[in-house]
Amino acid sequence: MRSPQAHGVFALMPRVDQLIAARARLDDPKATPEDRAGAAEIMIELGTAFDKGRAQRFLRDRRAA
């Protein structure tokens, strides 16, 4: 008997939506720096290597400013 949990790609779908929203928030010029930093943290956790690199650069540049 199978468990009712989602498996494979379907288990990732809510996280994909969260990643898409984080990407949009990071690129939104009207978002507050705190919102953009939160989006960067989500991208580091859930994103591809490209997402992680963008997010890490954003956070590094924010700390340096």
Side-chain angles (χ1 to χ4, degrees):
M1 183 170 183
R2 290 188 173 172
S3 70
Q5 291 179 309
H7 294 282
V9 172
F10 296 110
L12 298 175
M13 288 179 72
R15 295 187 141 226
V16 169
D17 290 342
Q18 191 177 12
L19 177 59
I20 291 168
R23 287 175 180 162
R25 203 170 342 145
L26 187 69
D27 293 335
D28 184 2
K30 295 179 184 177
T32 65
E34 292 79 19
D35 285 343
R36 295 179 77 199
E41 295 294 334
I42 291 169
M43 289 173 66
I44 290 169
E45 181 182 339
L46 302 177
T48 63
F50 178 76
D51 292 324
K52 291 175 185 182
R54 280 184 61 207
Q56 288 169 342
R57 280 189 299 279
F58 171 78
L59 292 175
R60 182 187 62 230
D61 293 346
R62 184 170 180 247
R63 285 185 206 116

